[in-house]
Amino acid sequence: MVASPPTDRVVAVVELIAAAAPVGLSVSEVAARLDLNRSTATAVLAALESPGWVQRGSDRLYTLGPGLLAVADAVHARVRPPGDTAEVLAGLAERVGCGVALSLVGADHVVFLVVEPGPGRVPAGIEVGTRLPLRPPAGASVMPWRPAAERAAWLAHAPELAPALDTIRAHGVAAWRPRTDSTELLAVLREVVGLLDEHPGRTALRERVRTQLASISAHPYTDADLTSNEPLPLSYLAAPVRDLQGRPTHELQIGPLRNAVGPTERRTYITELRATATHLSTMAHPRHVDASDSGPRR
């Protein structure tokens, strides 16, 4: 894909103003936080003001404008989860004691739709609307049931994960552990992502740091690991959520982020995650019964 700096600037300005809501931002603030010169920031804001995507108040501060309502409504109609999804995720977060997230897994990106910290935490930089490339480990829980071409494109970034897809198919969940020497580095990278979130103009750098986070916190568990009686470190678990045709379209994720999880707790995590993923599929499509071969092994 060919980059378009002018387009990137427009996107960055909209994202920055959205992140600042309900507080408005001045031209100077937009320019400073996105490393733009004032004339460029003024030109971008003027272009966005014309269709009403931003509006300038009497205080000369810019906020999102009503022109975005039609766009937002169209997006909501296509990707919005059922109304009580947030409550279901909050219940799961309470039961498992950690952060929970639901994301839409597209052809080349993953977009987070609902994020529930619960009594635990979620990775720094992950919030509603966060968009990540569809590269390992993102979307792993849906990949065993995606078309062969999509699996091949996904595995091209990490061929060594091919056996992990068999484990995911067998158990109905993707389970990840951190690299054994990564504890201190994980903490540093999470702090860096948090700091970069305050500077939306650093999109490329933020994505690189998130990629590094994933590479050291998401090593797949084998079948023998998951059925072991030994305590194991556990970063994340994810399960697919399906559409009317039984296709996995979303990924439900929980993040224990713990250094040692015993077999009983692991089974509890997996049971709760799978049950909630099934419930979300039923909520979205109450008449749908999944008759595919994708059921987890009992």
Side-chain angles (χ1 to χ4, degrees), residues 115-134:
V115 177
E116 173 55 58
R121 54 182 174 159
V122 294
I126 298 300
E127 57 188 15
V128 173
T130 296
R131 188 170 181 263
L132 303 176
L134 182 55

Side-chain angles (χ1 to χ4, degrees), residues 132 135-138 176-179 186 189 208-219 236:
L132 303 176
R135 296 176 183 173
W176 308 96
R177 63 175 176 81
R179 201 174 69 192
L186 276 171
L189 288 176
R208 286 169 56 196
V209 174
R210 283 177 177 154
T211 300
Q212 288 300 312
L213 266 172
S215 71
I216 62 176
S217 64
H219 291 253
Y236 310 102

Side-chain angles (χ1 to χ4, degrees), residues 1-10:
M1 183 181 297
V2 178
S4 172
T7 304
D8 291 343
R9 285 195 290 267
V10 172

Side-chain angles (χ1 to χ4, degrees), residues 62-257:
Y62 286 87
T63 57
L64 293 183
L68 282 172
L69 286 174
V71 177
D73 286 344
V75 173
H76 283 163
R78 195 173 85 81
V79 304
R80 179 169 50 195
D84 51 351
T85 297
E87 288 78 6
V88 172
L89 265 61
L92 174 61
E94 186 65 32
R95 292 192 300 275
V96 297
C98 62
V100 175
L102 178 68
S103 57
L104 174 67
V105 184
D108 53 11
H109 280 82
V110 173
V111 182
F112 285 81
L113 304 180
V114 184
V115 177
E116 173 55 58
R121 54 182 174 159
V122 294
I126 298 300
E127 57 188 15
V128 173
T130 296
R131 188 170 181 263
L132 303 176
L134 182 55
R135 296 176 183 173
S141 71
V142 311
M143 279 301 147
W145 303 285
R146 283 290 176 94
E150 290 188 32
R151 289 200 305 274
W154 188 84
L155 285 170
H157 298 285
E160 70 277 7
L161 291 182
L165 297 186
D166 293 331
T167 300
I168 294 169
R169 178 183 286 273
H171 289 269
V173 297
W176 308 96
R177 63 175 176 81
R179 201 174 69 192
T180 53
D181 60 349
S182 65
T183 302
E184 185 174 345
L185 182 57
L186 276 171
V188 172
L189 288 176
R190 287 179 186 132
E191 186 174 346
V192 170
V193 173
L195 292 173
L196 288 174
D197 283 340
E198 300 175 8
H199 300 278
R202 306 295 188 182
T203 303
L205 179 57
R206 187 165 61 248
E207 184 170 309
R208 286 169 56 196
V209 174
R210 283 177 177 154
T211 300
Q212 288 300 312
L213 266 172
S215 71
I216 62 176
S217 64
H219 291 253
Y221 273 122
T222 65
D223 181 84
D225 291 329
L226 286 177
T227 55
S228 167
N229 288 322
E230 297 297 320
L232 301 171
L234 193 57
S235 298
Y236 310 102
L237 297 101
V241 177
R242 300 174 179 278
D243 67 5
L244 184 61
Q245 287 75 39
R247 298 172 300 199
T249 54
H250 294 70
E251 184 170 70
L252 178 64
Q253 183 186 88
I254 64 175
L257 301 171

